[in-house]
Amino acid sequence: MIRIAAVGDVHVDKDVVGRYRPALEQLPGVADALLIAGDLTRHGTVEEARCMAGEFGGLGVPVVVVLGNHDHQSDQQDAVTDVLRDAGLVVLEGEGTVLELNGHTLGIAGAKGFGGGFAGACASKFGEREMKNFVGTTEAIAERLGAALRGLDCDALVALTHYAPVPETLTGEPLEIYPFLGSYLLGQAIDSAPTALALHGHAHHGSERGRTPGGVPVRNVAHPVIKQAYNVYQLLTDEVDAGLVSI
Ligand SMILES: [Fe+2]
Ligand SMILES: [Fe+2]
C-alpha cells in the first residue's frame, strides 16, 4: 500500500506561515509522500516562494508539486521553481518522477494544465490568433502530461494538475467559469495511461470527487474544498477505488 497525502491551493504568503506546519509535522506517521496541486503562493513572488518552501520543506517525506495560475502572477515562475527545488521539493511541469515508497514505486506525472472547458461547452481552435493560442496552450500541456504519464514505469501512477480534468469536481462553481477552471483534454491525457488517481485543485468552490470518462478517480484537493491541511489517499490496496480513503 502507498499512502498519498494531497492538498492544493495553499496560497502561502507571510501571513500563512505556520498555519499548516503543525499538521505537516504529523505527515511521516500517516503518509508516504505529499502531493500539492498548485497555487502554492498568493501572487507568485520569490518572497512568497521562500515562505512556501519554509512551510512545506524538510517534512521527512517526499513533496511533489505543480505550479498554479497564482504562481505565475508575477512572471517569476522560474525563480519560484528554483526556490522550491532548492528546498528539496520536486516541481513538475509536463514531466514525471518515480518515488520508491514502502517497497513499491509511485509514478507521478505533473503539469499545471490550463482552461478550455468540457464536452459540449469548450473553446475551439478557430478564428482569432488569441483564441488559437489559448486552445493551443491547453493542447500542448495536455500532450506533455499524457506523454509523461505513458512514459512512467511504476506500480502505481498518479496525475497531478492544478486545473481540473473533469467537470464533476467543479460542482459548486458557477457554470459560466467552467472553461477557465479546466479542460477535457487533461482528462483524455489521464485516460491515455493506466492512471490510478488524478489530483487537482484551482476550483475553490468545487467538489472533491469525480471520475474521468475512462473511469480514473479524480479528487479536487483544493484546501477550501477538503477543509484540512491534507487528505490521505491509499493506493495499491486490494480494491483501488475502495482504497481511496480520505481522512
Ligand atoms: Fe487557488
Ligand atoms: Fe488557481
Side-chain angles (χ1 to χ4, degrees):
M1 183 177 70
I2 296 175
R3 303 165 302 168
I4 299 170
V7 65
D9 301 86
V10 291
H11 289 286
V12 178
D13 63 12
K14 62 179 174 19
D15 296 331
V16 173
V17 169
R19 202 178 296 174
Y20 290 94
R21 197 71 194 186
L24 296 174
E25 301 284 0
Q26 313 297 318
L27 258 180
V30 298
D32 305 303
L34 173 64
L35 276 53
I36 311 180
D39 279 1
L40 312 172
T41 65
R42 189 151 293 282
H43 297 106
T45 65
V46 168
E47 182 192 3
E48 289 177 352
R50 290 198 185 103
C51 293
M52 160 68 193
E55 189 77 357
F56 287 87
L59 293 179
V61 300
V63 180
V64 180
V65 310
V66 293
L67 300 189
N69 56 313
H70 279 247
D71 307 315
H72 282 248
Q73 168 61 15
S74 299
D75 291 322
Q76 295 178 31
Q77 56 271 19
D78 292 343
V80 164
T81 297
D82 288 344
V83 168
L84 300 176
R85 286 181 174 155
D86 286 348
L89 280 62
V90 177
V91 185
L92 300 177
E93 180 48 56
E95 59 212 311
T97 188
V98 176
L99 304 177
E100 292 247 356
L101 304 169
N102 287 342
H104 300 290
T105 50
L106 173 67
I108 305 155
K112 177 178 62 63
F114 202 47
F118 301 91
C122 56
S124 61
K125 208 172 178 183
F126 181 88
E128 299 90 335
R129 172 51 51 196
E130 290 84 355
M131 199 64 190
K132 290 172 184 153
N133 289 345
F134 177 70
V135 176
T137 298
T138 307
E139 283 180 353
I141 292 173
E143 278 173 24
R144 289 191 68 194
L145 176 66
L149 282 164
R150 293 188 298 275
L152 289 171
D153 183 13
C154 56
D155 298 327
L157 183 59
V158 172
L160 179 65
T161 61
H162 181 58
Y163 285 77
V166 296
E168 286 97 321
T169 48
L170 303 182
T171 303
E173 295 280 3
L175 201 54
E176 291 83 353
I177 67 168
Y178 275 31
F180 305 106
L181 296 177
S183 166
Y184 75 100
L185 294 171
L186 300 173
Q188 286 186 346
I190 288 164
D191 281 342
S192 75
T195 312
L197 174 64
L199 300 167
H200 75 88
H202 192 43
H204 290 207
H205 303 289
S207 307
E208 187 199 354
R209 291 170 177 245
R211 195 173 283 274
T212 65
V216 177
V218 178
R219 298 294 181 261
N220 175 2
V221 292
H223 182 252
V225 172
I226 65 172
K227 296 182 172 60
Q228 54 188 355
Y230 46 82
N231 272 0
V232 177
Y233 301 102
Q234 298 173 0
L235 297 177
L236 298 175
T237 52
D238 287 343
E239 276 187 80
V240 169
D241 197 33
L244 293 178
V245 178
S246 309
I247 63 168

